């Protein structure tokens, strides 16, 4: 419900005498879980981490450059070792470290047929759930359904086809001019929004107090002059919440300076570093009560040449950044109130091309991390055969079943909607999926 609609209803029902401000504040609060969507921009290679294959598989026997016997397992999740060219370690983060750290809270979804090899179409499908339809991102839909009255309900690292909103909820960038505008809204009296010194204010504190007192007195006179009880009640409620968003935005931008520093291991990885910065800004928005969902991303995965030499270090940097982000959320106290959705455009081909690279392949994977209260972890749903083609799953048991269905973005995002509890909501009804909400995540 929009705040303006709530005020209308509250005023009409005479609710201003029952709870007053508390009722409206409760309407604007979001207690979680918070949602962070992380995008690997360009098309990651699941066979290099969560859908391992090894040498001898694929139509040419060259899906991946590692021995099938070196595939590792932790809990119920199998993962790929480094290719031979990196088996010496090289100082890289490892699949073993990532999956060992997080398997208990992780659901891996393999064998997702994106239905396209086009970057733009696949990215949109990967984060909205629909290839043919013009749908908003699932992050936007969750924010619109669960937290529409927050100051900046949906925050993003960058604006793209993966963060579309279709006008259902505001979308605010976590950097550049958009973040600058948020600072100005939070502190309109500062000539430099990041400078709290009184000497850099348009009005001194004493003069600002006079202006605010005069404004409050005028509002009270207008309220007192209203003789209709219902309208008067609505005015009282409106006045009681007029500064909530401003206060929330102030808490958000103030907390940006308190973000955890980034370890030196990320100094040479600008993509991972930016993704960590964006995620920490999103966390500040969550903690202040300003936002409920966020989307961040890092690129470098479109490796049409020198795949092993380029893709594996990029992928390990990406997983290292996610590992750091998860630990940061835990350290900040809301790791048990967070769901992280990880995805990419699609996968990469089941063969090496003439440039030692891998091209676009429509079969991909996603991973979802979350506390046991939300996500039934230590599981793999779906799979691919020895040529990296999607296997069908039983809609009831989710076991591999030749009489089952092929997983698509629609199935995955319908299940994400179910996990968020919004699959039957009014906003979701505007963007329906035909597929059933499988119990992929819980």
């Amino acid at each position: 419900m929009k705040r303006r609609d709530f005020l209308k209803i509250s005023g009409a029902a005479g609710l201003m005498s029952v709870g007053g401000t508390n009722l409206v504040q409760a309407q604007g609060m979001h207690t979680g879980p918070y949602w962070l969507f992380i995008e690997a921009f360009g098309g990651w290679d699941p066979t290099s981490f969560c859908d391992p294959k090894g040498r001898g598989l694929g139509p040419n026997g060259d899906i991946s450059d590692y021995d099938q016997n070196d595939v590792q397992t932790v809990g119920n999740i199998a993962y790929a070792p480094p290719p031979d060219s990196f088996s010496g370690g090289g100082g890289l983060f490892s699949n073993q470290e990532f999956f060992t750290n997080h398997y208990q809270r992780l659901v891996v979804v393999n064998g997702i047929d994106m239905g396209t090899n086009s970057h733009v179409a696949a990215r949109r499908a990967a984060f909205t759930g629909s290839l043919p339809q013009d749908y908003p991102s699932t992050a936007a839909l969750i924010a619109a359904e669960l937290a529409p009255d927050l100051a900046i309900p949906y925050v993003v690292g960058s604006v793209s086809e993966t963060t579309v909103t279709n006008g259902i909820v505001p979308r605010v960038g976590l950097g550049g001019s958009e973040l600058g505008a948020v600072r100005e809204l939070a502190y309109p009296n500062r000539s430099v929004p990041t400078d709290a010194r009184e000497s850099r204010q348009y009005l001194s504190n004493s003069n600002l107090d006079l202006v605010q007192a005069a404004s409050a007195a005028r509002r009270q006179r207008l309220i007192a002059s209203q003789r209709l009880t219902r309208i008067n009640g609505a005015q009282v409620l409106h006045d009681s919440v007029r500064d909530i968003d401003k206060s929330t935005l102030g808490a958000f931008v103030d907390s940006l300076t308190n973000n955890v520093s980034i370890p030196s291991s990320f100094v040479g990885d600008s993509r991972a570093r930016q993704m960590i910065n964006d995620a920490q800004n999103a966390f500040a928005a969550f903690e202040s009560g300003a936002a409920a969902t966020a989307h961040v991303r890092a690129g470098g995965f479109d490796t049409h040449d020198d795949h092993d030499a380029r893709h594996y270090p990029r992928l390990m940097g990406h997983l290292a950044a996610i590992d750091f982000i998860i630990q940061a959320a835990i350290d900040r106290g809301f790791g048990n109130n967070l769901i992280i959705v990880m995805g990419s455009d699609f996968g990469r081909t089941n063969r090496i091309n003439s440039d030692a690279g891998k091209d676009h392949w429509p079969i991909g994977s996603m991973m979802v991390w979350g506390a046991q209260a939300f996500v039934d972890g230590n599981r793999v749903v779906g799979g691919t055969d020895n040529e990296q083609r999607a296997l069908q799953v039983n809609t009831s048991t989710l076991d591999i079943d030749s009489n089952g269905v092929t997983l698509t973005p629609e199935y995955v995002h319908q299940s994400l909607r179910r996990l968020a509890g919004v699959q039957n909501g009014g906003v979701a009804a505007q963007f329906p999926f035909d597929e059933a909400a499988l119990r992929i995540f819980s």
Side-chain angles (χ1 to χ4, degrees), residues 153-166:
Y154 177 35
V155 294
V156 301
S158 60
V159 174
S160 72
E161 58 276 351
T162 59
T163 60
V164 291
T165 69
N166 292 58

Side-chain angles (χ1 to χ4, degrees), residues 172-249:
V172 175
L174 289 166
S177 60
E178 289 193 67
L179 188 56
V182 171
R183 293 182 188 274
E184 291 177 355
L185 287 171
Y187 292 108
N189 191 44
R190 294 179 182 177
S191 59
V192 179
T194 56
D195 192 336
R197 291 176 295 174
E198 187 174 357
S199 61
R200 304 302 298 272
Q201 295 178 176
Y202 296 114
L203 298 175
S204 66
N205 287 335
S206 58
N207 286 338
L208 182 61
D209 288 342
L210 291 173
V211 170
Q212 291 176 335
S215 175
R218 180 178 183 275
R219 295 196 307 273
Q220 291 304 312
R221 288 196 301 271
L222 290 173
I223 290 172
S225 67
Q226 178 53 249
R227 303 304 180 188
L228 295 177
T229 301
R230 292 176 181 176
I231 297 178
N232 179 269
Q235 288 178 325
V236 170
L237 287 170
H238 182 269
D239 189 62
S240 69
V241 300
R242 64 185 303 275
D243 290 328
I244 289 177
D245 284 352
K246 180 181 173 184
S247 175
T248 298
L249 291 178

Side-chain angles (χ1 to χ4, degrees), residues 13 38-39 69 94 96 129 134-135 146 160 179 184 217 256 294 307 310 327 371 410 415:
I38 299 180
E39 176 185 0
N69 294 323
S94 70
Q96 181 179 25
D134 181 22
Y135 278 12
L146 300 182
S160 72
L179 188 56
E184 291 177 355
L256 294 178
H307 176 79
R310 295 173 56 215
Q327 189 57 53
E410 289 85 350
S415 298

Side-chain angles (χ1 to χ4, degrees), residues 268-291:
D269 192 339
S270 60
R271 295 183 179 97
R273 193 167 62 250
Q274 183 61 56
M275 190 173 82
I276 290 173
N277 274 328
D278 288 341
Q280 300 231 53
N281 286 345
F283 289 170
F286 294 162
E287 290 170 323
S288 66

